Every structure is written in C-alpha cells, then in structure tokens.
Amino acid sequence: MNGSAVDTPRAVIVISSHVARGSVGNRAAVFALETLGHPVWAVPTVLLPWHPGHGPATRIVPDADQFSAFMKDLERAPWLGEVAGVLSGYLGDARQAVDVAALVHRVKARNPSALYVCDPVMGDAGGLYVPEATAEAMRDLLLPLADIATPNRYELEWIVGAKLDDLRSATAAALELGPPRMLVTSAPAMMAGGIGNLLVTPTEALLAEHRQIPGPPNGLGDLTAAVFLARLLAGQPDAKALQTTTAAVYEILARTAKRGGDELQLETDARSLSHPMAMVQFRHLTHPGRDQRA
C-alpha cells in the first residue's frame, strides 16, 4: 500500500508571477499547495519586488526564447509522471501562453487524469491590467484546454464581452464558456453586503458566499485557485471543495484584515488552509440547462 501511495502523482506545476515580498501569484499558490501536501514545480513568469498595487516596481520578464527553452526542459523531465496538476496564472508576456499550452499537453499525455487549472489573471473592476494581446492569448490558447477555470467576475465579463450583474447572467456565461468546472470569484451574492464564489459545471450551479471585507489584500484569486485544485486532487466532490475552499480563503482574509495586514498572512494562518472554521453560506442554484429543458 505504501508503495502505491508513493507512486500516486501529487506534484503540481504552478506557472505565475513571483514577488519578493507578499503573498500573490506563485507565492500564494506554492505555499498553499505545499501546506496541503503537494510537491510544487514553481515557474515564474515575471519577477517583481512586490505587487504593483503597492507602488512602482521593477518588472523582470524572462526572455521569450529562454522561457520557451525552460518550459521545453520541463516537458522532457523524467519526473513528469509525478505531476497531478498544472495551474497557470499571471503571464508576463503573451508568448508565454504557447509554452504553457505545450506543457499542459505533455503533462496530460503522461497522465491523462491530470487536472489543468487556468486562472486567467488579466483584470478587475478597473479593467484589464495586462496588454490585450496577453488577455487574448489566455482566452484563446489556455481556456480551451482547461479542466477548471477560475476567472473573477470582471475577467469573465471581458472574456464573454457582456456585463454580468446578477447570478443568472454570470451562471449562463460560465456555462457557455466551456471548461467543465468554472469557478467565478467575486461573483454576485444573494446575501446583503456579501460576495460569492460561483461554481458552474454541466449539471450544477453552486454558490458559496460570505460578507464582503472592504479593501482586501491582493492574492485572493491565486489562493482560491490553488486551494480548490488541492481539494479536488484530495478527492473532494465539487460542492465540498467549493465550500471548504471558500471557508479557508475567507478565514485567512478576515484574520489578515483584523490585524491590519497589507498582504495575506499565510504563514500565520496556515492551519486555516487545512482546517478552516469559518462559516460560509452555501446554496444550490437553478442550473441554466434545466431552464432550457423546462
């Protein structure tokens, strides 16, 4: 039994931004996945001293040819069979999407059950904060490969080209976009003063919501994508994975806010990742497919 456990793929490749200070991008995702028991292969798409939201910051993007060669090395790695999942987030350059897609194909060729999570980090309520070509590359090259996509509501609006002001429109847009699991963060909530995580699959529409905390630190989307992937790799069904992911991220957010932190304090609240105590409202919504069949 021990031998089969060792042989079970558990590694996750995380491809996103890297900051020296803070808990965003790779810093959030790698910490969460390793805390939850997954070896991580971390690939930086851009290097920053801190999140640009804190002020001007030097931005180092790997040379496109060197990044491509680096990713080709991973494709040829003799340990690729260890990989159970790939998570891509912020891209430093549109051309990186081609290399991410090639690596996803290679991982799935070695392990057909591997999960690919595309977190299309491209913007928020203020609009796109990546070049349009980068957003288009994520939309056109990476989302079609995804088993799970985790856009925030504003990213989903940009991708589908429509405003999504209520749960009905957000659910329909998520279903139409196509990945088997669409987890929409910053979704409309049913509770007053709340915000939600909306999960749409071909058969279910589920909402986990909690009260909104003003001025939250960055990194919540990165953390949500990583924790949700870990929950699924642990065998949790969709509803349980959504509920426990939302509870963990909300608990860390609430505790950070109470301390006045300007970054998520993952190292302080690591236990919240595996044993969250926060309560979230959980709802089964009407699925658009049932509306159409009625």
Side-chain angles (χ1 to χ4, degrees), residues 63-84:
D63 172 81
D65 290 339
Q66 290 182 332
F67 184 84
S68 183
F70 182 98
M71 295 289 275
K72 291 295 182 189
D73 285 346
L74 296 186
E75 287 183 46
R76 295 189 292 265
W79 314 279
L80 206 63
E82 300 172 357
V83 177

Side-chain angles (χ1 to χ4, degrees), residues 28-240:
V30 172
F31 183 91
L33 285 160
E34 290 184 339
T35 298
L36 294 171
H38 294 276
V40 177
W41 303 12
V43 180
T45 56
V46 60
L47 300 175
L48 299 156
W50 50 72
H51 189 280
H54 292 313
T58 299
R59 173 185 170 90
I60 302 173
V61 178
D63 172 81
D65 290 339
Q66 290 182 332
F67 184 84
S68 183
F70 182 98
M71 295 289 275
K72 291 295 182 189
D73 285 346
L74 296 186
E75 287 183 46
R76 295 189 292 265
W79 314 279
L80 206 63
E82 300 172 357
V83 177
V86 179
L87 167 59
S88 70
Y90 184 92
L91 299 184
D93 184 288
R95 290 168 289 183
Q96 293 174 347
V98 175
D99 301 306
V100 174
L103 180 58
V104 169
H105 280 299
R106 185 65 184 138
V107 167
K108 284 182 169 287
R110 287 288 300 272
N111 178 12
S113 64
L115 296 176
Y116 170 46
V117 180
C118 176
D119 183 12
V121 181
M122 60 177 71
D124 55 25
L128 290 180
Y129 48 63
V130 300
E132 192 162 329
T134 302
E136 290 171 347
M138 285 189 264
R139 179 193 66 194
D140 299 339
L141 297 178
L142 300 183
L143 277 173
L145 301 179
D147 300 294
I148 305 140
T150 61
N152 63 39
R153 188 201 334 177
Y154 313 103
E155 290 161 345
L156 181 59
E157 287 179 341
W158 185 86
I159 291 166
V160 301
K163 289 292 289 180
L164 306 172
D165 293 326
D166 53 45
L167 280 169
R168 186 181 182 90
S169 61
T171 302
L175 184 64
E176 182 181 355
L177 192 56
R181 294 182 179 98
M182 282 287 297
L183 174 54
V184 184
T185 60
S186 304
M190 296 180 71
M191 63 186 291
I195 193 166
N197 285 333
L198 171 66
L199 178 63
V200 181
T201 75
T203 58
E204 289 185 300
L206 308 168
L207 179 69
E209 55 186 358
H210 55 77
R211 69 179 178 87
Q212 191 162 6
I213 294 177
N218 294 296
L220 295 169
D222 306 306
L223 184 60
T224 297
V227 175
F228 187 64
L229 173 58
R231 301 291 198 248
L232 294 178
L233 291 176
Q236 289 191 3
D238 289 347
K240 182 71 171 175

Side-chain angles (χ1 to χ4, degrees), residues 224-281:
T224 297
V227 175
F228 187 64
L229 173 58
R231 301 291 198 248
L232 294 178
L233 291 176
Q236 289 191 3
D238 289 347
K240 182 71 171 175
L242 176 64
Q243 187 172 25
T244 59
T245 296
T246 305
V249 175
Y250 173 57
E251 186 170 300
I252 292 170
L253 167 61
R255 290 181 172 180
T256 297
K258 187 174 182 179
R259 300 186 197 106
D262 66 346
E263 290 281 349
L264 295 174
Q265 295 169 354
L266 301 182
E267 71 292 335
T268 303
D269 298 316
R271 184 172 174 80
S272 297
L273 292 169
S274 52
H275 297 94
M277 302 298 290
M279 299 295 292
V280 297
Q281 294 289 331

